[in-house]
Amino acid sequence: MDKIIVEGGSRLSGRVRVNGAKNAALPIQCAALLGDTPTTLRHVPLLSDVHTMNSLLVGLGCAVSGERSLTIDPRKVGEGPLEASYELVKTMRASVTVMGPLLARYGRARISLPGGCAIGARPIDQHLRGLEALGAEIALSHGYVDVSAKRLRGATFVFDLVTVGGTQNVMMAAALARGGSRLENVASEPEVQELALVLNKMGARIHGAGTSVIEIEGVDTLSGIDHAILPDRIEAGTFMVAAAITGGDVLLEHAPVDHMHAVITKMEEAGVIFEVEPEGLRVRGPARLRPVDVTTKPHPGFPTDMQAQMMVLATLADGQSLITETIFENRFMHVPELCRLGADIQVHGNAAVVRGRATYTGTTVMATDLRASASLILAGLVAQGRTEIRRVYHLDRGYEAIEARLAPLGAKIERIHGAAS
Ligand code: UD1
């Protein structure tokens, strides 16, 4: 298993280009299943989650070629099983996002139930209830859910809670349903907006993405398209924290500023300096960081996927911050590892009290999930001495070659391939 070694203490400076967004790429890969012709995606990030989704699509009968420019040809889907196995769903929960497209386009799907995962129970009840409202029959057995319908019919459905994947799944199904649908209390994340844009390019009639109500006029067929994936706001946010905590000066090319107001506002509150320049967003770290209270919320609130990274920033501030996680239970698994590196963080339920002015000293730490891994890299950047981060496969799910992106900025970081864990 690979590990990453960081020698802390370098100030980051220079420029880095933000890659395509993982959370936009994954549902759009699934959307390719809805088309009658191939879809080509550009600016695709080279991530293990994207590869996992490709494997799932190949298993369903798609021909998949390319990497950064990825072509997905769904014309042979339906000749074999329409199944997302436990092996795939357990490694990547976003696998369940093939359910809506398969059901709408091919009339059935068999998907493993995700079960619990490292950051909480993460059920898919809202996905299933939404599809049921569109007329799907749902049967649960042996840990799998079978969904089927001859032709879905449009309906009004109100989500009990805001779910990104649920909104995407039901929106894709409704795009090919007979008649109109109205989805209420939907997620408004940029990646939901991007998926609606893609579906409309394919021939769908979807309005309201980005608000809390989406209206969809079902169509009979959709066709493949050519589309460039939008930049990753979480990757951009992670680089911003890296620049901020090292007192750095980094220009982020392709930063999706319009989708990052909550993160930028909070970081400004902490004293970080931002300037929008013609070539990107310049981020400069202040001499002293101020404490900030952060509560994670659905978009446009502060994203849960930036909580761990923001916590590292808070540990270095001049005072006490309160970080509250409202989206996922059990999403503080980075805390014990950050504390081993020198942070002072007390968790009380879904709130973490962070006492600032941490002096980090490097040691060996274990990545536990994707964003937790990012927080360990960040702490390593400011730690005295050498931090060794193990289980970096978590990191590779969502950050493309992070060491090769940070090193040109001045970070002393390297990957050791195939090391024993
Ligand atoms: C997506 C993102 C993930 C991000 C999350 C929240 C992708 C591939 N992943 O995950 O990076 O952290 O949004 O912004 O885009 N829930 C239910 N029932 C359901 C569905 C969800 O109770 O049927 C709960 C979940 O357990 C969680 C909350 O709703 O507590 C939000 O989950 P959701 O928005 O669905 O997250 P994902 O789509 O899985």
Side-chain angles (χ1 to χ4, degrees):
M1 255 185 272
D2 293 1
K3 57 188 181 188
I4 286 183
I5 312 287
V6 189
E7 284 283 343
S10 304
R11 174 178 177 270
L12 300 194
S13 71
R15 51 172 67 202
V16 60
R17 190 188 159 130
V18 180
N19 276 339
K22 166 179 92 76
N23 287 353
L26 296 174
I28 294 173
Q29 287 171 274
C30 298
L33 287 166
L34 289 163
D36 289 341
T37 50
T39 283
T40 296
L41 304 177
R42 301 183 193 275
H43 296 180
V44 176
L46 308 186
L47 303 170
S48 61
D49 271 12
V50 169
H51 291 141
T52 305
M53 186 61 85
N54 283 340
S55 306
L56 171 53
L57 294 174
V58 167
L60 294 169
C62 290
V64 175
S65 58
E67 280 195 317
R68 189 77 70 200
S69 278
L70 182 70
T71 298
I72 301 166
D73 182 348
R75 285 175 293 187
K76 294 226 157 61
V77 177
E79 293 177 9
L82 296 172
E83 179 174 309
S85 70
Y86 176 65
E87 290 310 315
L88 282 167
V89 177
K90 86 168 192 290
T91 53
M92 188 184 67
R93 189 174 180 280
S95 308
V96 302
T97 317
V98 297
M99 183 163 55
L102 288 178
L103 173 67
R105 177 74 179 75
Y106 303 97
R108 67 199 156 83
R110 181 173 164 78
I111 311 286
S112 169
L113 290 170
C117 80
I119 59 169
R122 302 186 83 167
I124 56 164
D125 57 306
Q126 297 299 306
H127 302 232
L128 297 178
R129 286 194 47 230
L131 296 177
E132 203 168 35
L134 297 174
E137 285 186 22
I138 305 217
L140 299 173
S141 65
H142 306 289
Y144 277 74
V145 54
D146 281 286
V147 291
S148 58
K150 278 216 175 66
R151 172 92 194 255
L152 295 171
R153 49 180 157 64
T156 293
F157 178 70
V158 184
F159 287 90
D160 285 346
L161 50 82
V162 176
T163 152
V164 174
T167 301
Q168 292 170 334
N169 235 334
V170 180
M171 178 167 77
M172 285 195 275
L176 278 181
R178 184 181 296 123
S181 295
R182 183 180 163 87
L183 309 180
E184 297 185 17
N185 196 26
V186 295
S188 65
E189 266 65 3
E191 296 77 20
V192 171
Q193 299 175 41
E194 179 82 349
L195 179 62
L197 183 89
V198 161
L199 294 169
N200 284 343
K201 271 169 87 170
M202 295 175 80
R205 297 203 196 126
I206 300 173
H207 300 280
T211 73
S212 61
V213 177
I214 293 180
E215 290 182 306
I216 302 156
E217 193 52 49
V219 297
D220 291 336
T221 56
L222 295 168
S223 8
I225 51 152
D226 193 311
H227 183 78
I229 305 286
L230 92 169
D232 195 317
R233 63 199 167 102
I234 306 301
E235 186 187 78
T238 305
F239 286 132
M240 286 178 190
V241 174
I245 60 176
T246 60
D249 182 348
V250 172
L251 184 76
L252 290 176
E253 297 169 0
H254 293 274
V257 176
D258 288 343
H259 297 147
M260 300 190 67
H261 292 307
V263 170
I264 290 174
T265 304
K266 275 295 158 191
M267 288 182 65
E268 278 179 336
E269 219 179 296
V272 182
I273 302 140
F274 292 93
E275 277 163 84
V276 178
E277 297 185 0
E279 293 185 56
L281 180 68
R282 182 170 297 280
V283 188
R284 280 186 289 131
R288 313 297 292 255
L289 286 159
R290 292 189 290 268
V292 270
D293 293 342
V294 173
T295 301
T296 62
K297 291 269 171 62
H299 192 75
F302 192 94
T304 175
D305 288 349
M306 274 299 296
Q307 181 255 107
Q309 301 90 313
M310 197 66 185
M311 191 178 284
V312 175
L313 187 145
T315 61
L316 297 162
D318 264 344
Q320 183 170 299
S321 304
L322 183 67
I323 311 247
T324 309
E325 171 60 53
T326 72
I327 308 294
F328 292 113
E329 73 238 54
N330 199 19
R331 207 179 200 183
F332 283 141
M333 286 180 315
H334 42 286
V335 169
E337 294 297 74
L338 290 178
C339 289
R340 287 189 59 239
L341 287 167
D344 180 351
I345 306 166
Q346 306 254 340
V347 173
H348 304 278
N350 72 341
V353 177
V354 181
R355 295 206 180 83
R357 300 184 201 95
T359 304
Y360 282 114
T361 53
T363 185
T364 300
V365 285
M366 208 73 96
T368 49
D369 72 41
L370 170 54
R371 305 305 167 186
S373 326
S375 75
L376 299 178
I377 301 267
L378 292 169
L381 289 175
V382 291
Q384 293 165 12
R386 179 182 195 268
T387 302
E388 178 175 318
I389 296 134
R390 298 192 180 174
R391 299 198 181 157
V392 293
Y393 55 84
H394 289 293
L395 197 70
D396 294 336
R397 293 186 56 185
Y399 294 91
E400 181 181 326
I402 192 142
E403 69 283 3
R405 322 277 298 293
L406 288 172
L409 297 176
K412 294 200 183 80
I413 180 168
E414 63 170 332
R415 176 183 297 250
I416 311 279
H417 289 282
S421 69

